[in-house]
Amino acid sequence: MTTHEVFNQVPPLVGHDAADDPALLDGLDREGAGWAAAQLHELGRLGGGEQAIEQGRLANEHPPVLRTHDRHGNRVDEVEFHPAWHELMRTAVTHGLHAAPWADERPGAHVARAAKFYAWRPDAGHGCPISMTYAVVPALRHAPELAARYEPLLTATSYDFGLRAPLAKRGLLAGMSMTEKQGGSDVRANTTTARPEPDGTYRLLGHKWFTSAPMCDVFLTLAQAPGGLTCFLVPRVLPDGTRNPMRLMRLKDKLGNRSNASAEVEYEHAVAWRVGDEGRGVRTIIDMVNLTRLDCVIGAAAGMRQGVITAAHHATHRQAFGRYLVEAPLMRNVLADLAVESEAATVLMMRLAGATDRSARGDAAETAFKRLALAVGKYWVCKRWPAHAAEALECLGGNGYVEESGMPRLFRESPLNSIWEGSGNVAALDVLRALAREPEVMAAFQAEVAAAAGADARLDAAVRRVRAELADPDDVELRARRVVERLALVLQGALLVRHGHPAVADAFCASRLDGDHGQAYGTLPRGVDFAAIISRAVPKVG
């Protein structure tokens, strides 16, 4: 016997191609990686499939567990993961989402990797070691002998988990360990020491407050050598198979990103190899930081896309007050506004990926553009994600507030990317530093925006306001966030006007540049082509 008939339920959002995203696919072609479309769709279908989505749920509901000792009392410092985590990692590595582009000479290899990283999002946590492995390669190249030994294994598409000597494995993962209790983002305050040994190695003594993905095989870390703060490569297992005294003290109990382990680590005279010159540690490791910042932008853009397609799917199938939610004018405004924000993030993300690819191939102009645009994009896109996730969740009403919807996990994840690799203030101040010290970066940025000059009067007016803001020398640090926000908006506007869908570009310029917008999502002005914008956000299921 049943008490009532259940109806008006939204079908699960499974069985779709996560790469079926017009802004993503347009960017793939535009930035020189159209050759990867088939690979991207293959991964997108996996990412939107029931199996991967279930693996993401299991990896988060069964978070990693630290085992400091075995049953005999021997120190092991190992992290145990649910099998679902390993399956997610295996898919990511075999599809080249880690360091594989560094071994791929095809133009657009880094763009293809960025698009795949965007499309493969059943779980954000496992993306952390994937991202750091991608980012470690250019920093490691400051030590050519180390790079020659380790880079082929870092770029290999074999997932080989376990505590073994790195050079005896089929593939490696890399992590990064920079922050300490007393310093946080101020890494120059680090007190971990590095004592040189006659054999050319160093011995590290100290404590790292936040080491993400401590189950990786090797790590880049910072320590005070005789010549100053220096970058080092630290393996978990030494070449002879013995454990390096890198002690995992505890795992962090985090707001989100719970499938990924983050640990406090103590080095008890751990063996390390120097990467780069003594005293140049920040300059060396910044190559890694810049690439993980790119992945912060990719992750935030991907999170926005996940939020808006979930909201649009729900509104398309759910009825209230005698009509589908997507037919209600106010809901259409909300969905369109979320979609505009998502597409603006995606078009910027793909432009940054293209600049990264061409910069890696020696393009000086693209290197200069990336230097400023990446810091600007990291600040803005990551800042926009939490409010976007909250609004997308609300589109599902009470259904969005329960764990089964997946939206609470998305919401908890959303603040992370703004904090990781330099919180909002750090990113904003980095923009000011670049503007003050590297005049070529502003010239490259202005050239990019100028390519859209005359196409939209609202964009042209916004560019003039930015120039006035930059010309004001007073209280620059106080106004840093304001300056970076305006730089981000004119860059997104210029990219959308040149490359975006006309309805999206018009709505962006009207609301974000011309000021015809309220303080919350869902306040786009009249005259916007809501139907055209929303249609680009409704996923095709089945």
Side-chain angles (χ1 to χ4, degrees):
M1 176 180 178
T2 58
T3 58
H4 65 291
E5 179 186 357
V6 178
F7 62 98
N8 193 26
Q9 300 300 295
V10 177
L13 181 50
V14 296
H16 69 286
D17 180 356
D20 187 18
D21 175 345
L24 178 71
L25 297 175
D26 289 348
L28 190 76
D29 285 332
R30 187 170 60 250
E31 300 297 340
W35 51 264
Q39 303 168 25
L40 176 61
H41 283 295
E42 178 188 356
L43 188 62
R45 287 188 291 271
L46 288 176
E50 186 174 1
Q51 183 178 22
I53 293 170
E54 178 66 3
Q55 289 169 347
R57 182 188 70 81
L58 290 171
N60 278 269
E61 291 190 2
H62 302 276
V65 177
L66 174 62
R67 305 295 185 194
T68 57
H69 296 77
D70 66 16
R71 65 189 181 92
H72 301 294
N74 299 310
R75 191 91 197 203
V76 292
D77 294 295
E78 182 60 290
V79 182
E80 292 182 358
F81 292 86
H82 189 277
W85 163 275
H86 294 297
E87 289 305 312
L88 293 167
M89 290 291 293
R90 184 170 290 105
T91 299
V93 171
T94 57
H95 283 81
L97 273 62
H98 60 315
W102 300 106
D104 190 340
E105 297 182 355
R106 289 175 293 182
H110 293 271
V111 176
R113 181 261 169 192
K116 292 178 183 179
F117 194 63
Y118 174 101
W120 176 247
R121 301 297 289 180
D123 161 67
H126 84 287
C128 182
I130 296 298
S131 176
M132 291 189 295
T133 304
Y134 170 62
V136 74
V137 170
L140 190 61
R141 288 177 176 176
H142 287 271
E145 291 184 3
L146 291 175
R149 295 201 298 271
Y150 287 94
E151 189 172 324
L153 292 169
L154 290 165
T155 60
T157 53
S158 297
Y159 177 60
D160 191 1
F161 183 83
L163 277 168
R164 298 190 302 284
L167 297 181
K169 301 183 75 174
R170 293 177 289 109
L172 298 178
L173 295 172
M176 177 169 51
S177 191
M178 296 172 62
T179 61
E180 298 183 3
K181 294 178 183 177
Q182 74 287 347
S185 296
D186 183 8
V187 295
R188 294 188 185 278
N190 287 359
T191 59
T192 295
T193 59
R195 184 188 72 213
E197 296 293 316
D199 63 359
T201 64
Y202 288 72
R203 296 296 183 273
L204 305 189
L205 182 66
H207 183 101
K208 293 298 177 181
W209 179 240
F210 219 105
T211 297
S212 190
M215 69 289 170
C216 288
D217 300 292
V218 295
F219 299 84
L220 287 190
T221 192
L222 296 175
Q224 300 287 354
L229 192 64
T230 304
C231 182
F232 294 93
L233 181 72
V234 182
R236 276 209 305 161
V237 180
L238 296 173
D240 63 3
T242 60
R243 306 286 177 86
N244 207 3
M246 172 183 162
R247 309 303 188 196
L248 307 186
M249 307 309 292
R250 65 169 178 166
L251 299 185
K252 299 289 191 181
D253 186 8
K254 299 172 294 185
L255 169 66
N257 205 248
R258 299 186 69 85
S259 69
N260 178 46
S262 300
E264 293 176 38
V265 173
E266 286 191 354
Y267 298 132
E268 297 180 0
H269 302 291
V271 178
W273 288 270
R274 179 167 53 83
V275 179
D277 296 331
E278 283 194 5
R280 303 277 290 179
V282 173
R283 182 63 61 89
T284 300
I285 210 168
I286 200 67
D287 288 336
M288 184 176 189
V289 170
N290 279 333
L291 287 170
T292 47
R293 284 180 174 176
L294 171 63
D295 278 8
C296 286
V297 179
I298 298 171
M304 288 187 194
R305 177 67 180 178
Q306 185 178 346
V308 72
I309 67 170
T310 303
H313 176 75
H314 181 88
T316 301
H317 295 277
R318 181 77 167 180
Q319 297 184 50
F321 308 110
R323 59 184 173 183
Y324 286 101
L325 291 175
V326 75
E327 297 171 350
L330 190 51
M331 178 59 81
R332 292 171 68 77
N333 199 319
V334 172
L335 292 174
D337 212 354
L338 292 173
V340 167
E341 193 72 42
S342 172
E343 293 211 25
T346 301
V347 73
L348 175 55
M349 176 272 288
M350 291 301 284
R351 178 64 182 92
L352 293 173
T356 298
D357 191 85
R358 291 182 282 275
S359 175
R361 301 174 197 285
D363 189 320
E366 288 291 88
T367 299
F369 170 75
K370 179 172 73 76
R371 170 66 184 96
L372 183 60
L374 182 56
V376 168
K378 198 278 183 185
Y379 171 85
W380 183 242
V381 175
C382 296
K383 275 277 175 240
R384 297 294 285 172
W385 186 18
H388 191 279
E391 195 67 61
L393 181 155
E394 189 175 324
C395 289
L396 278 66
N399 291 319
Y401 203 69
V402 297
E403 286 294 332
E404 288 92 335
S405 72
M407 298 302 279
R409 173 152 52 102
L410 184 73
F411 180 70
R412 288 192 299 270
E413 196 72 27
S414 63
L416 171 61
N417 291 27
S418 187
I419 296 171
W420 195 33
E421 303 303 16
S423 59
N425 284 355
V426 172
L429 293 174
D430 188 38
V431 171
L432 295 188
R433 189 180 306 112
L435 291 173
R437 298 179 183 177
E438 306 170 58
E440 69 276 10
V441 304
M442 190 59 200
F445 188 94
Q446 289 178 326
E448 181 73 24
V449 173
D456 191 292
R458 297 162 298 189
L459 173 60
D460 293 340
V463 171
R464 290 192 293 271
R465 290 193 295 270
V466 169
R467 288 176 180 158
E469 192 82 51
L470 292 170
D472 184 354
D474 296 332
D475 301 317
V476 176
E477 183 173 333
L478 182 70
R479 296 183 292 111
R481 287 189 175 214
R482 179 186 177 95
V483 169
V484 177
E485 177 179 325
R486 291 191 170 185
L487 287 170
L489 289 172
V490 297
L491 178 56
Q492 286 183 318
L495 291 170
L496 285 172
V497 165
R498 292 174 62 201
H499 308 303
H501 188 281
V504 175
D506 176 68
F508 184 91
C509 291
S511 57
R512 275 70 169 171
L513 300 182
D514 207 32
D516 198 354
H517 196 271
Q519 298 302 308
Y521 286 105
T523 54
L524 290 173
R526 287 177 292 186
V528 167
D529 190 345
F530 294 101
I533 296 171
I534 294 170
S535 68
R536 294 165 62 84
V538 177
K540 300 177 181 66
V541 178

